[in-house]
Amino acid sequence: MIEDKEVILLKVSGQDKPGVTASLTAILAKYQAIVLDIAQANIHDILSLGILFKVRTGASSAAILKEILFKGYELGVTVTFTSISVPDYEIWVKAQSKKRYLINILGVSITAQQLSAVTQILANQDLNIYAIKRLTGRISIVEKESYPRSCVQLFVSGKSLDKALLTQKFMETAQALEVDISFQEDTMYRRNRRLVCFDMDSTLIQTEVIDALAALAGVGEQVQAITAQAMNGQIDFSESFKQRMALLKGLDASVLQKIALNLPITQGAHRLMKALKYYGYKTAILSGGFTYFGRYLQKELGIDYMYANELEIIDGKLTGKHLGEIIDGNKKAELLQAIAQKEGLHIQQTIAVGDGANDLPMLNLAGLGIAFHAKPAVKENAATTISSLGLDGVLYLLGYHDRYIDMRIEE
């Protein structure tokens, strides 16, 4: 019978200290209360605790409230109660069937203006924020950070949404306020992603190797122009690859080692790979670049799989041709799927990270596709972007807090 039951929401706030939760739940235990929900947050050592519980009505509920009030006074915290009717409680329980989503806001710092803009977009779609979590460590306002970064994760729920409109609004806000905003549906697969595939040039490294080779061959401007067109999707990647390769004919192969040893590895790449390895992820390079440099990065970063294009070298010279099949956009998507199948993973358990138009097929196929410091045409067609942080920003989209990232890397 529910008639003899009373549902009460206990709210506690005040200076945090050891024993507050223990003392209050001891009183609830004394009266055999059933805890229906509980949540606690701490900001600058100020406690905010909520406990939703069920007790028998009448004398027992009055006694429990009295004891908790006295204990709150003794502990130096403020205690308030709200009685919840059984019908209202049941409505709240049924509302748990609403779809749930995660919104990540990433930037050098998070401003009130950025938060206001994002939360207003959510409110306009009737999406409710039921939890907020900071994923980056606390930032000093006195000491200058060598690598400033901030990430706040919003947990939201709602019956339905206009995904296209939401994505458009987030994109407009991100561009206007210089912040990254990611949107994910909170599914079983999101919590169990296990394969991360990376483009190489302008993603894992901050250069286009073919442009560096072209500069040494004296055809830098010609090749850069073709590269820019290909990365923006203005010309077919395979055709652009053949055109650029032909211009490299006759280049001495000895320059490859020099370039490999001086590859500018992207900020956050080492931190990301160490964390992914610790937490059991498989990683892959899927590149339209070259295997010579892919193998170097694979060893340097401890990556499991590597696929790229093979340069043809005869008598110590580049012939201007390649060996085997060209790794273009469609091939990258095929390889992502093949590796997932080999590892026994659902495609929704995969992540793809890239910057160019030839990365879009794998970005759109993966469970989470991330356009990393990408070309405008790629940003417009990718669901998630990172433009304000280094590669380790990927970890925040996976829900990892700095505390758990750095603690594990240092072990």
Side-chain angles (χ1 to χ4, degrees), residues 242-276:
K242 292 174 184 177
Q243 290 178 20
R244 289 177 289 169
M245 284 295 299
L247 291 168
L248 299 179
K249 183 177 180 180
L251 182 64
D252 197 304
S254 63
V255 303
L256 300 180
Q257 183 179 16
K258 181 180 178 181
I259 292 175
L261 293 175
N262 291 281
L263 289 175
I265 296 175
T266 299
Q267 184 179 42
H270 283 98
R271 183 173 185 252
L272 169 63
M273 296 305 174
K274 287 178 181 177
L276 291 176

PDB file of all heavy atoms in Angstrom, residues 242-276:
ATOM      1  N   LYS A 242      47.888  11.552 -57.514  1.00  0.00           N
ATOM      2  CA  LYS A 242      48.694  11.204 -58.690  1.00  0.00           C
ATOM      3  C   LYS A 242      49.412  12.432 -59.246  1.00  0.00           C
ATOM      4  O   LYS A 242      50.589  12.366 -59.618  1.00  0.00           O
ATOM      5  CB  LYS A 242      47.805  10.577 -59.769  1.00  0.00           C
ATOM      6  CG  LYS A 242      47.246   9.224 -59.401  1.00  0.00           C
ATOM      7  CD  LYS A 242      46.254   8.728 -60.454  1.00  0.00           C
ATOM      8  CE  LYS A 242      45.611   7.413 -60.046  1.00  0.00           C
ATOM      9  NZ  LYS A 242      44.592   6.970 -61.023  1.00  0.00           N
ATOM     10  N   GLN A 243      48.701  13.566 -59.282  1.00  0.00           N
ATOM     11  CA  GLN A 243      49.308  14.801 -59.796  1.00  0.00           C
ATOM     12  C   GLN A 243      50.491  15.223 -58.927  1.00  0.00           C
ATOM     13  O   GLN A 243      51.558  15.609 -59.434  1.00  0.00           O
ATOM     14  CB  GLN A 243      48.266  15.924 -59.832  1.00  0.00           C
ATOM     15  CG  GLN A 243      47.177  15.758 -60.868  1.00  0.00           C
ATOM     16  CD  GLN A 243      46.163  16.894 -60.809  1.00  0.00           C
ATOM     17  OE1 GLN A 243      46.441  17.971 -60.281  1.00  0.00           O
ATOM     18  NE2 GLN A 243      44.971  16.645 -61.349  1.00  0.00           N
ATOM     19  N   ARG A 244      50.297  15.160 -57.624  1.00  0.00           N
ATOM     20  CA  ARG A 244      51.370  15.585 -56.711  1.00  0.00           C
ATOM     21  C   ARG A 244      52.543  14.622 -56.735  1.00  0.00           C
ATOM     22  O   ARG A 244      53.713  15.032 -56.694  1.00  0.00           O
ATOM     23  CB  ARG A 244      50.805  15.723 -55.294  1.00  0.00           C
ATOM     24  CG  ARG A 244      49.866  16.915 -55.126  1.00  0.00           C
ATOM     25  CD  ARG A 244      49.271  16.995 -53.746  1.00  0.00           C
ATOM     26  NE  ARG A 244      48.291  15.939 -53.519  1.00  0.00           N
ATOM     27  CZ  ARG A 244      47.762  15.650 -52.332  1.00  0.00           C
ATOM     28  NH1 ARG A 244      48.150  16.329 -51.266  1.00  0.00           N
ATOM     29  NH2 ARG A 244      46.864  14.706 -52.215  1.00  0.00           N
ATOM     30  N   MET A 245      52.248  13.330 -56.805  1.00  0.00           N
ATOM     31  CA  MET A 245      53.318  12.331 -56.859  1.00  0.00           C
ATOM     32  C   MET A 245      54.194  12.537 -58.095  1.00  0.00           C
ATOM     33  O   MET A 245      55.426  12.435 -58.020  1.00  0.00           O
ATOM     34  CB  MET A 245      52.712  10.925 -56.866  1.00  0.00           C
ATOM     35  CG  MET A 245      52.194  10.459 -55.523  1.00  0.00           C
ATOM     36  SD  MET A 245      53.508  10.281 -54.296  1.00  0.00           S
ATOM     37  CE  MET A 245      54.519   9.028 -55.077  1.00  0.00           C
ATOM     38  N   ALA A 246      53.579  12.827 -59.221  1.00  0.00           N
ATOM     39  CA  ALA A 246      54.332  13.004 -60.471  1.00  0.00           C
ATOM     40  C   ALA A 246      55.332  14.145 -60.349  1.00  0.00           C
ATOM     41  O   ALA A 246      56.438  14.087 -60.933  1.00  0.00           O
ATOM     42  CB  ALA A 246      53.365  13.259 -61.624  1.00  0.00           C
ATOM     43  N   LEU A 247      54.971  15.170 -59.590  1.00  0.00           N
ATOM     44  CA  LEU A 247      55.861  16.317 -59.425  1.00  0.00           C
ATOM     45  C   LEU A 247      57.072  16.003 -58.546  1.00  0.00           C
ATOM     46  O   LEU A 247      58.044  16.763 -58.522  1.00  0.00           O
ATOM     47  CB  LEU A 247      55.080  17.491 -58.818  1.00  0.00           C
ATOM     48  CG  LEU A 247      54.017  18.124 -59.732  1.00  0.00           C
ATOM     49  CD1 LEU A 247      53.123  19.068 -58.939  1.00  0.00           C
ATOM     50  CD2 LEU A 247      54.683  18.862 -60.892  1.00  0.00           C
ATOM     51  N   LEU A 248      57.031  14.883 -57.820  1.00  0.00           N
ATOM     52  CA  LEU A 248      58.138  14.500 -56.934  1.00  0.00           C
ATOM     53  C   LEU A 248      59.168  13.610 -57.628  1.00  0.00           C
ATOM     54  O   LEU A 248      60.162  13.203 -57.012  1.00  0.00           O
ATOM     55  CB  LEU A 248      57.600  13.767 -55.697  1.00  0.00           C
ATOM     56  CG  LEU A 248      56.643  14.543 -54.784  1.00  0.00           C
ATOM     57  CD1 LEU A 248      56.192  13.667 -53.629  1.00  0.00           C
ATOM     58  CD2 LEU A 248      57.297  15.827 -54.258  1.00  0.00           C
ATOM     59  N   LYS A 249      58.952  13.298 -58.862  1.00  0.00           N
ATOM     60  CA  LYS A 249      59.838  12.400 -59.600  1.00  0.00           C
ATOM     61  C   LYS A 249      61.278  12.908 -59.567  1.00  0.00           C
ATOM     62  O   LYS A 249      61.540  14.088 -59.817  1.00  0.00           O
ATOM     63  CB  LYS A 249      59.376  12.271 -61.047  1.00  0.00           C
ATOM     64  CG  LYS A 249      60.205  11.284 -61.872  1.00  0.00           C
ATOM     65  CD  LYS A 249      59.652  11.154 -63.281  1.00  0.00           C
ATOM     66  CE  LYS A 249      60.499  10.168 -64.096  1.00  0.00           C
ATOM     67  NZ  LYS A 249      59.977  10.031 -65.478  1.00  0.00           N
ATOM     68  N   GLY A 250      62.194  12.009 -59.200  1.00  0.00           N
ATOM     69  CA  GLY A 250      63.616  12.339 -59.186  1.00  0.00           C
ATOM     70  C   GLY A 250      64.145  12.804 -57.847  1.00  0.00           C
ATOM     71  O   GLY A 250      65.359  12.964 -57.668  1.00  0.00           O
ATOM     72  N   LEU A 251      63.261  13.016 -56.854  1.00  0.00           N
ATOM     73  CA  LEU A 251      63.720  13.467 -55.534  1.00  0.00           C
ATOM     74  C   LEU A 251      64.520  12.358 -54.857  1.00  0.00           C
ATOM     75  O   LEU A 251      64.132  11.194 -54.861  1.00  0.00           O
ATOM     76  CB  LEU A 251      62.523  13.853 -54.669  1.00  0.00           C
ATOM     77  CG  LEU A 251      62.835  14.388 -53.265  1.00  0.00           C
ATOM     78  CD1 LEU A 251      63.598  15.706 -53.339  1.00  0.00           C
ATOM     79  CD2 LEU A 251      61.549  14.576 -52.460  1.00  0.00           C
ATOM     80  N   ASP A 252      65.646  12.718 -54.258  1.00  0.00           N
ATOM     81  CA  ASP A 252      66.507  11.745 -53.587  1.00  0.00           C
ATOM     82  C   ASP A 252      65.806  11.198 -52.343  1.00  0.00           C
ATOM     83  O   ASP A 252      65.323  11.964 -51.504  1.00  0.00           O
ATOM     84  CB  ASP A 252      67.829  12.418 -53.190  1.00  0.00           C
ATOM     85  CG  ASP A 252      68.917  11.390 -52.879  1.00  0.00           C
ATOM     86  OD1 ASP A 252      68.682  10.531 -52.008  1.00  0.00           O
ATOM     87  OD2 ASP A 252      69.996  11.449 -53.501  1.00  0.00           O
ATOM     88  N   ALA A 253      65.763   9.877 -52.216  1.00  0.00           N
ATOM     89  CA  ALA A 253      65.053   9.232 -51.101  1.00  0.00           C
ATOM     90  C   ALA A 253      65.721   9.468 -49.755  1.00  0.00           C
ATOM     91  O   ALA A 253      65.110   9.231 -48.707  1.00  0.00           O
ATOM     92  CB  ALA A 253      64.937   7.732 -51.364  1.00  0.00           C
ATOM     93  N   SER A 254      66.957   9.947 -49.761  1.00  0.00           N
ATOM     94  CA  SER A 254      67.659  10.178 -48.497  1.00  0.00           C
ATOM     95  C   SER A 254      66.997  11.268 -47.653  1.00  0.00           C
ATOM     96  O   SER A 254      67.214  11.342 -46.445  1.00  0.00           O
ATOM     97  CB  SER A 254      69.111  10.567 -48.771  1.00  0.00           C
ATOM     98  OG  SER A 254      69.187  11.796 -49.485  1.00  0.00           O
ATOM     99  N   VAL A 255      66.168  12.115 -48.282  1.00  0.00           N
ATOM    100  CA  VAL A 255      65.531  13.203 -47.529  1.00  0.00           C
ATOM    101  C   VAL A 255      64.410  12.684 -46.627  1.00  0.00           C
ATOM    102  O   VAL A 255      63.978  13.384 -45.707  1.00  0.00           O
ATOM    103  CB  VAL A 255      64.968  14.288 -48.487  1.00  0.00           C
ATOM    104  CG1 VAL A 255      66.058  14.832 -49.391  1.00  0.00           C
ATOM    105  CG2 VAL A 255      63.804  13.748 -49.312  1.00  0.00           C
ATOM    106  N   LEU A 256      63.942  11.461 -46.883  1.00  0.00           N
ATOM    107  CA  LEU A 256      62.822  10.936 -46.112  1.00  0.00           C
ATOM    108  C   LEU A 256      63.148  10.824 -44.627  1.00  0.00           C
ATOM    109  O   LEU A 256      62.333  11.172 -43.775  1.00  0.00           O
ATOM    110  CB  LEU A 256      62.392   9.564 -46.659  1.00  0.00           C
ATOM    111  CG  LEU A 256      61.933   9.515 -48.122  1.00  0.00           C
ATOM    112  CD1 LEU A 256      61.535   8.093 -48.500  1.00  0.00           C
ATOM    113  CD2 LEU A 256      60.778  10.472 -48.367  1.00  0.00           C
ATOM    114  N   GLN A 257      64.334  10.335 -44.327  1.00  0.00           N
ATOM    115  CA  GLN A 257      64.709  10.158 -42.921  1.00  0.00           C
ATOM    116  C   GLN A 257      64.796  11.496 -42.196  1.00  0.00           C
ATOM    117  O   GLN A 257      64.336  11.633 -41.053  1.00  0.00           O
ATOM    118  CB  GLN A 257      66.041   9.430 -42.803  1.00  0.00           C
ATOM    119  CG  GLN A 257      66.440   9.154 -41.356  1.00  0.00           C
ATOM    120  CD  GLN A 257      67.756   8.409 -41.234  1.00  0.00           C
ATOM    121  OE1 GLN A 257      68.528   8.338 -42.200  1.00  0.00           O
ATOM    122  NE2 GLN A 257      68.028   7.843 -40.073  1.00  0.00           N
ATOM    123  N   LYS A 258      65.360  12.487 -42.862  1.00  0.00           N
ATOM    124  CA  LYS A 258      65.481  13.804 -42.240  1.00  0.00           C
ATOM    125  C   LYS A 258      64.104  14.368 -41.903  1.00  0.00           C
ATOM    126  O   LYS A 258      63.891  14.918 -40.816  1.00  0.00           O
ATOM    127  CB  LYS A 258      66.226  14.745 -43.185  1.00  0.00           C
ATOM    128  CG  LYS A 258      66.417  16.147 -42.608  1.00  0.00           C
ATOM    129  CD  LYS A 258      67.164  17.045 -43.570  1.00  0.00           C
ATOM    130  CE  LYS A 258      67.314  18.454 -43.000  1.00  0.00           C
ATOM    131  NZ  LYS A 258      68.017  19.354 -43.942  1.00  0.00           N
ATOM    132  N   ILE A 259      63.166  14.231 -42.819  1.00  0.00           N
ATOM    133  CA  ILE A 259      61.811  14.732 -42.569  1.00  0.00           C
ATOM    134  C   ILE A 259      61.159  13.955 -41.428  1.00  0.00           C
ATOM    135  O   ILE A 259      60.525  14.537 -40.538  1.00  0.00           O
ATOM    136  CB  ILE A 259      60.959  14.645 -43.846  1.00  0.00           C
ATOM    137  CG1 ILE A 259      61.477  15.634 -44.899  1.00  0.00           C
ATOM    138  CG2 ILE A 259      59.486  14.917 -43.543  1.00  0.00           C
ATOM    139  CD1 ILE A 259      60.776  15.527 -46.236  1.00  0.00           C
ATOM    140  N   ALA A 260      61.321  12.625 -41.434  1.00  0.00           N
ATOM    141  CA  ALA A 260      60.700  11.784 -40.401  1.00  0.00           C
ATOM    142  C   ALA A 260      61.189  12.160 -39.008  1.00  0.00           C
ATOM    143  O   ALA A 260      60.411  12.213 -38.049  1.00  0.00           O
ATOM    144  CB  ALA A 260      60.979  10.320 -40.689  1.00  0.00           C
ATOM    145  N   LEU A 261      62.488  12.416 -38.888  1.00  0.00           N
ATOM    146  CA  LEU A 261      63.063  12.728 -37.582  1.00  0.00           C
ATOM    147  C   LEU A 261      62.625  14.097 -37.058  1.00  0.00           C
ATOM    148  O   LEU A 261      62.790  14.385 -35.873  1.00  0.00           O
ATOM    149  CB  LEU A 261      64.592  12.667 -37.652  1.00  0.00           C
ATOM    150  CG  LEU A 261      65.181  11.273 -37.895  1.00  0.00           C
ATOM    151  CD1 LEU A 261      66.698  11.356 -38.079  1.00  0.00           C
ATOM    152  CD2 LEU A 261      64.839  10.331 -36.742  1.00  0.00           C
ATOM    153  N   ASN A 262      62.078  14.922 -37.938  1.00  0.00           N
ATOM    154  CA  ASN A 262      61.684  16.268 -37.533  1.00  0.00           C
ATOM    155  C   ASN A 262      60.181  16.510 -37.695  1.00  0.00           C
ATOM    156  O   ASN A 262      59.746  17.653 -37.786  1.00  0.00           O
ATOM    157  CB  ASN A 262      62.462  17.301 -38.353  1.00  0.00           C
ATOM    158  CG  ASN A 262      63.944  17.327 -37.989  1.00  0.00           C
ATOM    159  OD1 ASN A 262      64.341  17.894 -36.990  1.00  0.00           O
ATOM    160  ND2 ASN A 262      64.749  16.674 -38.813  1.00  0.00           N
ATOM    161  N   LEU A 263      59.405  15.434 -37.715  1.00  0.00           N
ATOM    162  CA  LEU A 263      57.956  15.590 -37.838  1.00  0.00           C
ATOM    163  C   LEU A 263      57.399  16.337 -36.624  1.00  0.00           C
ATOM    164  O   LEU A 263      57.660  15.944 -35.477  1.00  0.00           O
ATOM    165  CB  LEU A 263      57.268  14.228 -37.950  1.00  0.00           C
ATOM    166  CG  LEU A 263      57.478  13.462 -39.260  1.00  0.00           C
ATOM    167  CD1 LEU A 263      56.825  12.086 -39.167  1.00  0.00           C
ATOM    168  CD2 LEU A 263      56.913  14.231 -40.447  1.00  0.00           C
ATOM    169  N   PRO A 264      56.641  17.407 -36.830  1.00  0.00           N
ATOM    170  CA  PRO A 264      56.057  18.157 -35.705  1.00  0.00           C
ATOM    171  C   PRO A 264      54.802  17.456 -35.174  1.00  0.00           C
ATOM    172  O   PRO A 264      53.708  17.635 -35.691  1.00  0.00           O
ATOM    173  CB  PRO A 264      55.718  19.514 -36.331  1.00  0.00           C
ATOM    174  CG  PRO A 264      55.462  19.210 -37.778  1.00  0.00           C
ATOM    175  CD  PRO A 264      56.333  18.033 -38.134  1.00  0.00           C
ATOM    176  N   ILE A 265      54.978  16.635 -34.153  1.00  0.00           N
ATOM    177  CA  ILE A 265      53.861  15.885 -33.591  1.00  0.00           C
ATOM    178  C   ILE A 265      52.893  16.841 -32.898  1.00  0.00           C
ATOM    179  O   ILE A 265      53.289  17.735 -32.159  1.00  0.00           O
ATOM    180  CB  ILE A 265      54.367  14.801 -32.629  1.00  0.00           C
ATOM    181  CG1 ILE A 265      55.208  13.773 -33.405  1.00  0.00           C
ATOM    182  CG2 ILE A 265      53.209  14.101 -31.931  1.00  0.00           C
ATOM    183  CD1 ILE A 265      55.854  12.718 -32.551  1.00  0.00           C
ATOM    184  N   THR A 266      51.621  16.663 -33.140  1.00  0.00           N
ATOM    185  CA  THR A 266      50.579  17.570 -32.656  1.00  0.00           C
ATOM    186  C   THR A 266      50.520  17.607 -31.129  1.00  0.00           C
ATOM    187  O   THR A 266      50.683  16.580 -30.451  1.00  0.00           O
ATOM    188  CB  THR A 266      49.211  17.136 -33.213  1.00  0.00           C
ATOM    189  OG1 THR A 266      49.262  17.191 -34.636  1.00  0.00           O
ATOM    190  CG2 THR A 266      48.100  18.048 -32.723  1.00  0.00           C
ATOM    191  N   GLN A 267      50.280  18.788 -30.595  1.00  0.00           N
ATOM    192  CA  GLN A 267      50.145  18.963 -29.148  1.00  0.00           C
ATOM    193  C   GLN A 267      49.078  18.019 -28.602  1.00  0.00           C
ATOM    194  O   GLN A 267      47.991  17.898 -29.153  1.00  0.00           O
ATOM    195  CB  GLN A 267      49.764  20.401 -28.835  1.00  0.00           C
ATOM    196  CG  GLN A 267      49.687  20.704 -27.343  1.00  0.00           C
ATOM    197  CD  GLN A 267      49.314  22.160 -27.091  1.00  0.00           C
ATOM    198  OE1 GLN A 267      48.441  22.703 -27.760  1.00  0.00           O
ATOM    199  NE2 GLN A 267      49.974  22.793 -26.140  1.00  0.00           N
ATOM    200  N   GLY A 268      49.406  17.348 -27.515  1.00  0.00           N
ATOM    201  CA  GLY A 268      48.458  16.452 -26.861  1.00  0.00           C
ATOM    202  C   GLY A 268      48.452  15.036 -27.391  1.00  0.00           C
ATOM    203  O   GLY A 268      47.800  14.161 -26.813  1.00  0.00           O
ATOM    204  N   ALA A 269      49.215  14.773 -28.492  1.00  0.00           N
ATOM    205  CA  ALA A 269      49.180  13.441 -29.093  1.00  0.00           C
ATOM    206  C   ALA A 269      49.780  12.387 -28.166  1.00  0.00           C
ATOM    207  O   ALA A 269      49.211  11.301 -27.996  1.00  0.00           O
ATOM    208  CB  ALA A 269      49.921  13.441 -30.433  1.00  0.00           C
ATOM    209  N   HIS A 270      50.927  12.677 -27.562  1.00  0.00           N
ATOM    210  CA  HIS A 270      51.552  11.707 -26.660  1.00  0.00           C
ATOM    211  C   HIS A 270      50.650  11.423 -25.456  1.00  0.00           C
ATOM    212  O   HIS A 270      50.478  10.271 -25.051  1.00  0.00           O
ATOM    213  CB  HIS A 270      52.914  12.220 -26.183  1.00  0.00           C
ATOM    214  CG  HIS A 270      54.007  12.090 -27.196  1.00  0.00           C
ATOM    215  ND1 HIS A 270      54.403  13.136 -27.994  1.00  0.00           N
ATOM    216  CD2 HIS A 270      54.778  11.024 -27.550  1.00  0.00           C
ATOM    217  CE1 HIS A 270      55.381  12.741 -28.787  1.00  0.00           C
ATOM    218  NE2 HIS A 270      55.625  11.470 -28.548  1.00  0.00           N
ATOM    219  N   ARG A 271      50.078  12.472 -24.889  1.00  0.00           N
ATOM    220  CA  ARG A 271      49.189  12.319 -23.719  1.00  0.00           C
ATOM    221  C   ARG A 271      47.972  11.472 -24.083  1.00  0.00           C
ATOM    222  O   ARG A 271      47.565  10.577 -23.332  1.00  0.00           O
ATOM    223  CB  ARG A 271      48.757  13.691 -23.230  1.00  0.00           C
ATOM    224  CG  ARG A 271      47.887  13.703 -21.972  1.00  0.00           C
ATOM    225  CD  ARG A 271      47.682  15.143 -21.522  1.00  0.00           C
ATOM    226  NE  ARG A 271      46.964  15.207 -20.257  1.00  0.00           N
ATOM    227  CZ  ARG A 271      45.706  15.610 -20.115  1.00  0.00           C
ATOM    228  NH1 ARG A 271      45.002  15.969 -21.177  1.00  0.00           N
ATOM    229  NH2 ARG A 271      45.139  15.650 -18.926  1.00  0.00           N
ATOM    230  N   LEU A 272      47.410  11.733 -25.251  1.00  0.00           N
ATOM    231  CA  LEU A 272      46.243  10.978 -25.710  1.00  0.00           C
ATOM    232  C   LEU A 272      46.580   9.506 -25.886  1.00  0.00           C
ATOM    233  O   LEU A 272      45.850   8.624 -25.408  1.00  0.00           O
ATOM    234  CB  LEU A 272      45.741  11.567 -27.029  1.00  0.00           C
ATOM    235  CG  LEU A 272      44.690  10.752 -27.786  1.00  0.00           C
ATOM    236  CD1 LEU A 272      43.412  10.622 -26.969  1.00  0.00           C
ATOM    237  CD2 LEU A 272      44.387  11.403 -29.138  1.00  0.00           C
ATOM    238  N   MET A 273      47.677   9.210 -26.575  1.00  0.00           N
ATOM    239  CA  MET A 273      48.011   7.816 -26.878  1.00  0.00           C
ATOM    240  C   MET A 273      48.340   7.020 -25.619  1.00  0.00           C
ATOM    241  O   MET A 273      47.962   5.854 -25.498  1.00  0.00           O
ATOM    242  CB  MET A 273      49.187   7.757 -27.859  1.00  0.00           C
ATOM    243  CG  MET A 273      48.879   8.349 -29.212  1.00  0.00           C
ATOM    244  SD  MET A 273      47.419   7.592 -29.984  1.00  0.00           S
ATOM    245  CE  MET A 273      47.260   8.634 -31.428  1.00  0.00           C
ATOM    246  N   LYS A 274      49.028   7.651 -24.685  1.00  0.00           N
ATOM    247  CA  LYS A 274      49.340   6.955 -23.432  1.00  0.00           C
ATOM    248  C   LYS A 274      48.064   6.601 -22.674  1.00  0.00           C
ATOM    249  O   LYS A 274      47.935   5.502 -22.127  1.00  0.00           O
ATOM    250  CB  LYS A 274      50.246   7.822 -22.560  1.00  0.00           C
ATOM    251  CG  LYS A 274      51.686   7.917 -23.064  1.00  0.00           C
ATOM    252  CD  LYS A 274      52.519   8.828 -22.169  1.00  0.00           C
ATOM    253  CE  LYS A 274      53.933   8.949 -22.680  1.00  0.00           C
ATOM    254  NZ  LYS A 274      54.740   9.895 -21.843  1.00  0.00           N
ATOM    255  N   ALA A 275      47.118   7.539 -22.645  1.00  0.00           N
ATOM    256  CA  ALA A 275      45.859   7.290 -21.942  1.00  0.00           C
ATOM    257  C   ALA A 275      45.036   6.219 -22.655  1.00  0.00           C
ATOM    258  O   ALA A 275      44.478   5.315 -22.008  1.00  0.00           O
ATOM    259  CB  ALA A 275      45.053   8.582 -21.834  1.00  0.00           C
ATOM    260  N   LEU A 276      44.949   6.291 -23.979  1.00  0.00           N
ATOM    261  CA  LEU A 276      44.185   5.293 -24.731  1.00  0.00           C
ATOM    262  C   LEU A 276      44.769   3.900 -24.528  1.00  0.00           C
ATOM    263  O   LEU A 276      44.034   2.919 -24.361  1.00  0.00           O
ATOM    264  CB  LEU A 276      44.174   5.640 -26.220  1.00  0.00           C
ATOM    265  CG  LEU A 276      43.370   6.882 -26.634  1.00  0.00           C
ATOM    266  CD1 LEU A 276      43.534   7.145 -28.122  1.00  0.00           C
ATOM    267  CD2 LEU A 276      41.893   6.735 -26.275  1.00  0.00           C
TER     268      LEU A 276
END
